[in-house]
Amino acid sequence: MATKNTYRILIWVIVILVATNLSMGLSFWFHKHQDNSLAEKATEEQVQMPSEQRTRFFRDQLNLSIDQVDAFRTLNRKYNQNARQISNKLERLRVEMVEELDKNDPSQELLDSIATEIGELHKELKKETINYYLGMKSECDSAQQEKLKEIFLTVSKTKEDVSLPGRGRGFGRRRTE
């Protein structure tokens, strides 16, 4: 009699453990897929709305009128379109440069050409930024121009250091030396 009860108790313990494991596994699976779909949705929203976020930021920081917001939005769209094209070209050139560097006998002439083209594209990108700033500045009154200057100074003071893996610093963290 005692052995029958022991077997029944053990069977119920096993059933409970199996049910617990299954529910835990399903829970992990569900949350993993839910997190992935949320991350994809956030990425899509980020790709679709960066210009609106920037326009909203300037509207809030500079206390822009409706007409100024419309002008900023137009300037921002033009800047984003041109800057994106330049960034895509820069990315393509960087990949081409690394591929050339990886060859057994890389062509110094080709690498110099790529470096020159990257420099020209950086110059073009800076000119786009200048035109963007001047366009926004022309839409602002004197107090807004001063605040716009502060915003651009803050952005321009950020270092454009290359992130390198460092010992004890973790991969991809900025070096602040």
Side-chain angles (χ1 to χ4, degrees):
M1 188 78 151
T3 57
K4 270 189 173 180
N5 283 338
T6 305
Y7 283 122
R8 281 186 184 169
I9 292 172
L10 288 176
I11 289 173
W12 278 109
V13 167
I14 291 171
V15 168
I16 291 171
L17 288 174
V18 168
T20 303
N21 284 337
L22 283 175
S23 65
M24 183 183 62
L26 288 172
S27 177
F28 282 138
W29 178 81
F30 173 77
H31 288 292
K32 181 180 177 184
H33 285 284
Q34 187 178 23
D35 290 345
N36 288 343
S37 65
L38 289 174
E40 288 172 9
K41 193 181 284 186
T43 303
E44 288 172 9
E45 288 174 6
Q46 202 173 33
V47 169
Q48 292 172 356
M49 293 192 34
S51 63
E52 289 301 318
Q53 290 172 353
R54 189 176 298 133
T55 302
R56 202 172 304 128
F57 170 78
F58 283 123
R59 180 195 68 201
D60 295 343
Q61 293 296 312
L62 302 175
N63 196 23
L64 299 175
S65 70
I66 293 171
D67 291 337
Q68 288 175 313
V69 169
D70 289 339
F72 269 55
R73 186 174 290 119
T74 301
L75 290 166
N76 197 21
R77 285 181 183 151
K78 181 181 177 194
Y79 172 76
N80 282 339
Q81 182 180 24
N82 294 339
R84 190 175 303 117
Q85 289 175 354
I86 294 168
S87 294
N88 289 341
K89 290 177 186 176
L90 284 167
E91 183 179 344
R92 179 188 52 79
L93 285 170
R94 288 185 192 111
V95 168
E96 187 179 334
M97 181 180 70
V98 170
E99 288 174 350
E100 184 64 26
L101 287 168
D102 193 42
K103 291 181 178 177
N104 288 335
D105 188 25
S107 166
Q108 188 64 46
E109 187 177 317
L110 178 59
L111 290 169
D112 289 345
S113 169
I114 292 170
T116 300
E117 196 172 345
I118 287 173
E120 288 298 317
L121 287 171
H122 275 288
K123 179 180 172 183
E124 195 177 322
L125 187 58
K126 293 302 176 191
K127 285 182 174 183
E128 286 294 331
T129 304
I130 290 167
N131 292 335
Y132 179 50
Y133 177 83
L134 292 175
M136 288 190 297
K137 182 180 174 186
S138 71
E139 295 293 328
C140 294
D141 62 30
S142 59
Q144 290 170 327
Q145 287 179 1
E146 192 60 37
K147 182 67 176 171
L148 181 67
K149 175 185 167 188
E150 290 174 23
I151 292 168
F152 265 76
L153 274 175
T154 301
V155 170
S156 68
K157 286 181 181 179
T158 59
K159 292 183 178 183
E160 294 183 20
D161 293 341
V162 175
S163 295
L164 298 172
R167 241 180 123 157
R169 296 184 180 165
F171 184 79
R173 288 194 181 164
R174 285 197 166 192
R175 298 178 73 147
T176 53
E177 295 177 28

